[in-house]
Amino acid sequence: MTAYSLGPLLYEGKAKRVYATDQPDLVAVEFKDEATAFNAEKRASLAGKGERNCRISALVFEWLEARGVSTHYLGVEGDRWMLVRPVKVVPIEVVVRNVAAGSLCRQLPIAPGTPLDPPLLDLYYKDDALGDPLLTEARLERLQLVSSGQLQAISELAMAVNRGLRELFGSVDLELVDFKIELGFAADGRLLLADEISPDTCRLWDRRISDQSDRIMDKDRFRQDLGGVVEAYGEVLKRVQGVCPQPRVYR
Ligand code: UDP
């Protein structure tokens, strides 16, 4: 028996629907099978993607919580539902890059696959209509999205997430190339990791495979029409389950 009942739809994004519940401190997130890329110009429905991303995200949040990262995560219910704390989302997409790929290589003369040590932190203004533009410190200050103290906290949290994710994925032969996270402030003012962490939001390369296309285990399979998207996500889930078996069920 569940300890809450669903309220109205609060928000529908490209990959998830967010619902209020009858409890003010609880929000329910439904993971959808829809896949989008290139600012939603490319779309498809991939049966089983939502379920895999929900599971992977839940296990990742639990792994990170165990390593001192505060997240919005409270538990899962069923195959594709996650219960989370409500947060006021910071309109910044925080990207951490360990290896050069994607937009970095399109925008700068850096060859794909170049190791980035220390990791590169890129902040983007979260606005689809504007195409999520890259932020500079001066632009951040101009927009007054966060204080300099909060910016420091965001950078530290992003690097802690990177350390935790590299430990987790590295232990199952997946190279964490880069990832995007979103953050939010809880009612008590705490900065929490929010949204999801899944092959939709991370680039992961299989260290057991040398072929540069076959090793891709993330949304680049969809972006590049490589096929086998859900199968790759399933393999990521299987490996992560090998080190953290079951997500906690919300009660
Ligand atoms: N990413 C994301 N949502 C976005 C943009 C990027 O989850 O709206 C992720 C993406 O999957 C990759 C990382 O952030 O793991 C860096 O993406 P990049 O800036 O290279 O952009 P892309 O090549 O995906 O356009």
Side-chain angles (χ1 to χ4, degrees):
M1 215 192 80
T2 53
Y4 65 91
S5 51
L6 272 191
L9 178 69
L10 295 176
Y11 167 79
E12 177 154 9
K14 286 171 275 197
K16 298 183 288 298
R17 292 187 193 93
V18 181
Y19 292 85
T21 70
D22 57 351
Q23 297 173 29
D25 54 352
L26 188 70
V27 168
V29 180
E30 181 189 13
F31 283 68
K32 304 195 289 184
D33 282 341
E34 273 65 45
T36 64
F38 311 120
N39 209 358
E41 278 168 33
K42 178 171 179 165
R43 293 166 179 274
S45 182
L46 302 173
K49 181 183 81 90
E51 189 181 325
R52 286 165 179 74
N53 277 357
C54 181
R55 291 270 140 175
I56 293 166
S57 243
L59 294 172
V60 165
F61 281 138
E62 290 186 22
W63 176 275
L64 292 172
E65 287 261 356
R67 282 151 187 82
V69 175
S70 300
T71 82
H72 70 158
Y73 171 81
L74 294 169
V76 292
E77 197 209 324
D79 291 335
R80 57 171 67 219
W81 287 86
M82 184 180 284
L83 286 309
V84 302
R85 293 185 182 87
V87 295
K88 191 172 181 302
V89 174
V90 178
I92 297 175
E93 297 200 337
V94 180
V95 170
V96 180
R97 302 175 189 275
N98 297 301
V99 176
S103 70
L104 182 73
C105 303
R106 293 194 297 273
Q107 293 168 358
L108 293 176
I110 302 179
T114 306
L116 304 167
D117 187 15
L120 199 62
L121 180 73
D122 281 335
L123 306 181
Y124 298 86
Y125 182 49
K126 189 173 154 62
D127 187 318
D128 283 340
L130 295 176
D132 297 339
L134 183 66
L135 288 165
T136 60
E137 259 185 59
R139 287 182 183 192
L140 258 171
E141 204 172 305
R142 181 68 183 78
L143 291 175
Q144 294 201 314
L145 297 176
V146 285
S147 68
S148 60
Q150 287 170 339
L151 182 59
Q152 180 68 24
I154 289 171
S155 307
E156 282 166 16
L157 196 140
M159 289 306 156
V161 170
N162 189 42
R163 284 192 296 275
L165 292 183
R166 287 180 81 171
E167 186 193 346
L168 170 61
F169 291 128
S171 74
V172 293
D173 286 342
L174 293 171
E175 173 152 24
L176 179 65
V177 173
D178 59 27
F179 65 90
K180 183 262 311 183
I181 53 173
E182 296 188 26
L183 307 162
F185 289 102
D188 62 6
R190 275 198 310 154
L191 182 66
L192 302 181
L193 177 62
D195 194 44
E196 68 176 285
I197 297 186
S198 73
D200 268 5
T201 62
C202 300
R203 282 196 171 91
L204 297 165
W205 291 347
D206 189 349
R207 288 195 176 126
R208 297 171 193 168
I209 297 176
S210 55
D211 182 89
Q212 296 202 356
S213 295
D214 293 350
R215 71 181 176 181
I216 295 171
M217 304 294 280
D218 55 68
K219 200 159 93 171
D220 275 349
R221 297 204 72 81
F222 175 67
R223 295 188 186 97
Q224 299 175 25
D225 288 321
L226 295 174
V229 182
V230 175
E231 290 76 6
Y233 286 31
E235 176 64 19
V236 172
L237 175 58
K238 200 174 103 191
R239 290 199 200 173
V240 170
Q241 278 173 331
V243 281
C244 25
Q246 285 293 331
R248 67 176 172 253
V249 175
Y250 181 81
R251 291 186 204 288

Short mmCIF file of all heavy atoms in Angstrom, two decimals, residues 165 169 176-180 197-204 217-220 223:
data_model
loop_
_atom_site.label_atom_id
_atom_site.label_comp_id
_atom_site.label_asym_id
_atom_site.label_seq_id
_atom_site.Cartn_x
_atom_site.Cartn_y
_atom_site.Cartn_z
N LEU A 165 30.44 9.15 -9.36
CA LEU A 165 30.03 8.47 -10.59
C LEU A 165 31.19 7.74 -11.24
O LEU A 165 31.04 6.63 -11.76
CB LEU A 165 29.44 9.47 -11.59
CG LEU A 165 28.11 10.13 -11.25
CD1 LEU A 165 27.67 11.03 -12.39
CD2 LEU A 165 27.04 9.08 -10.96
N PHE A 169 30.82 3.86 -12.04
CA PHE A 169 30.87 3.36 -13.42
C PHE A 169 32.22 2.70 -13.72
O PHE A 169 32.28 1.69 -14.41
CB PHE A 169 30.55 4.48 -14.41
CG PHE A 169 29.12 4.95 -14.36
CD1 PHE A 169 28.79 6.29 -14.21
CD2 PHE A 169 28.08 4.03 -14.47
CE1 PHE A 169 27.47 6.71 -14.17
CE2 PHE A 169 26.74 4.45 -14.43
CZ PHE A 169 26.44 5.79 -14.28
N LEU A 176 33.22 7.16 -17.67
CA LEU A 176 32.34 8.33 -17.60
C LEU A 176 33.00 9.47 -18.38
O LEU A 176 33.93 10.12 -17.87
CB LEU A 176 32.10 8.73 -16.14
CG LEU A 176 31.21 9.94 -15.94
CD1 LEU A 176 29.78 9.69 -16.43
CD2 LEU A 176 31.19 10.37 -14.47
N VAL A 177 32.50 9.71 -19.59
CA VAL A 177 33.08 10.73 -20.46
C VAL A 177 32.64 12.12 -19.99
O VAL A 177 33.46 13.00 -19.74
CB VAL A 177 32.63 10.48 -21.92
CG1 VAL A 177 33.05 11.61 -22.84
CG2 VAL A 177 33.18 9.14 -22.39
N ASP A 178 31.33 12.30 -19.85
CA ASP A 178 30.78 13.56 -19.35
C ASP A 178 29.36 13.32 -18.85
O ASP A 178 28.81 12.23 -19.03
CB ASP A 178 30.82 14.67 -20.42
CG ASP A 178 30.04 14.32 -21.68
OD1 ASP A 178 29.09 13.53 -21.59
OD2 ASP A 178 30.38 14.83 -22.76
N PHE A 179 28.80 14.32 -18.19
CA PHE A 179 27.41 14.20 -17.73
C PHE A 179 26.86 15.58 -17.43
O PHE A 179 27.61 16.55 -17.25
CB PHE A 179 27.31 13.30 -16.49
CG PHE A 179 28.00 13.83 -15.26
CD1 PHE A 179 27.33 14.64 -14.35
CD2 PHE A 179 29.33 13.55 -15.02
CE1 PHE A 179 27.97 15.14 -13.22
CE2 PHE A 179 30.00 14.05 -13.90
CZ PHE A 179 29.31 14.84 -13.00
N LYS A 180 25.52 15.63 -17.37
CA LYS A 180 24.82 16.87 -17.03
C LYS A 180 24.00 16.63 -15.78
O LYS A 180 23.35 15.59 -15.65
CB LYS A 180 23.90 17.24 -18.19
CG LYS A 180 23.15 18.54 -18.04
CD LYS A 180 21.73 18.46 -17.54
CE LYS A 180 20.82 17.48 -18.19
NZ LYS A 180 19.42 17.53 -17.66
N ILE A 197 20.03 10.95 -13.28
CA ILE A 197 21.37 10.63 -13.79
C ILE A 197 21.24 9.28 -14.46
O ILE A 197 20.98 8.26 -13.81
CB ILE A 197 22.43 10.61 -12.67
CG1 ILE A 197 22.54 12.01 -12.05
CG2 ILE A 197 23.78 10.15 -13.23
CD1 ILE A 197 23.65 12.17 -11.03
N SER A 198 21.36 9.28 -15.78
CA SER A 198 21.09 8.07 -16.56
C SER A 198 21.86 8.15 -17.87
O SER A 198 22.50 9.18 -18.14
CB SER A 198 19.58 8.01 -16.85
OG SER A 198 19.26 8.99 -17.83
N PRO A 199 21.77 7.12 -18.70
CA PRO A 199 22.45 7.22 -20.01
C PRO A 199 21.85 8.30 -20.92
O PRO A 199 22.43 8.62 -21.96
CB PRO A 199 22.26 5.83 -20.62
CG PRO A 199 22.05 4.93 -19.45
CD PRO A 199 21.28 5.74 -18.46
N ASP A 200 20.70 8.88 -20.52
CA ASP A 200 20.19 10.05 -21.24
C ASP A 200 21.02 11.29 -20.92
O ASP A 200 21.05 12.25 -21.70
CB ASP A 200 18.74 10.35 -20.83
CG ASP A 200 17.72 9.67 -21.73
OD1 ASP A 200 18.13 8.91 -22.62
OD2 ASP A 200 16.51 9.92 -21.54
N THR A 201 21.64 11.31 -19.76
CA THR A 201 22.31 12.54 -19.30
C THR A 201 23.82 12.35 -19.08
O THR A 201 24.50 13.29 -18.67
CB THR A 201 21.69 13.04 -17.97
OG1 THR A 201 21.87 12.03 -16.97
CG2 THR A 201 20.21 13.34 -18.12
N CYS A 202 24.32 11.13 -19.32
CA CYS A 202 25.76 10.86 -19.19
C CYS A 202 26.27 10.29 -20.50
O CYS A 202 25.54 9.58 -21.19
CB CYS A 202 26.04 9.75 -18.17
SG CYS A 202 25.50 10.05 -16.50
N ARG A 203 27.52 10.54 -20.83
CA ARG A 203 28.17 9.74 -21.88
C ARG A 203 28.97 8.64 -21.19
O ARG A 203 29.80 8.95 -20.31
CB ARG A 203 29.11 10.59 -22.74
CG ARG A 203 28.41 11.45 -23.75
CD ARG A 203 29.34 11.98 -24.84
NE ARG A 203 28.54 12.60 -25.88
CZ ARG A 203 28.21 13.89 -25.90
NH1 ARG A 203 28.64 14.70 -24.96
NH2 ARG A 203 27.47 14.37 -26.88
N LEU A 204 28.73 7.40 -21.61
CA LEU A 204 29.40 6.24 -21.02
C LEU A 204 29.98 5.38 -22.13
O LEU A 204 29.26 5.03 -23.07
CB LEU A 204 28.39 5.41 -20.21
CG LEU A 204 27.76 6.11 -19.00
CD1 LEU A 204 26.53 5.35 -18.52
CD2 LEU A 204 28.78 6.26 -17.88
N MET A 217 27.39 3.63 -24.91
CA MET A 217 26.35 3.00 -24.09
C MET A 217 25.29 4.03 -23.64
O MET A 217 24.61 3.81 -22.63
CB MET A 217 26.98 2.38 -22.83
CG MET A 217 28.07 1.39 -23.11
SD MET A 217 27.43 -0.08 -23.93
CE MET A 217 26.78 -0.95 -22.51
N ASP A 218 25.17 5.13 -24.34
CA ASP A 218 24.34 6.25 -23.86
C ASP A 218 23.53 6.83 -25.01
O ASP A 218 23.45 6.26 -26.09
CB ASP A 218 25.28 7.32 -23.28
CG ASP A 218 26.32 7.72 -24.32
OD1 ASP A 218 25.94 8.34 -25.33
OD2 ASP A 218 27.51 7.38 -24.14
N LYS A 219 22.95 8.01 -24.77
CA LYS A 219 22.04 8.61 -25.75
C LYS A 219 22.70 8.94 -27.08
O LYS A 219 22.00 9.17 -28.07
CB LYS A 219 21.37 9.86 -25.14
CG LYS A 219 20.10 10.24 -25.89
CD LYS A 219 19.17 11.09 -25.09
CE LYS A 219 19.41 12.54 -25.31
NZ LYS A 219 18.35 13.37 -24.69
N ASP A 220 24.01 8.94 -27.15
CA ASP A 220 24.66 9.12 -28.45
C ASP A 220 24.24 8.01 -29.43
O ASP A 220 24.26 8.23 -30.64
CB ASP A 220 26.19 9.17 -28.31
CG ASP A 220 26.69 10.56 -27.96
OD1 ASP A 220 25.89 11.53 -28.04
OD2 ASP A 220 27.88 10.70 -27.59
N ARG A 223 21.26 9.68 -30.78
CA ARG A 223 21.64 10.87 -31.56
C ARG A 223 22.27 10.48 -32.90
O ARG A 223 22.02 11.10 -33.91
CB ARG A 223 22.66 11.73 -30.78
CG ARG A 223 22.13 12.35 -29.49
CD ARG A 223 23.17 13.33 -28.91
NE ARG A 223 22.80 13.85 -27.62
CZ ARG A 223 23.23 13.37 -26.46
NH1 ARG A 223 24.08 12.34 -26.43
NH2 ARG A 223 22.84 13.90 -25.32
#
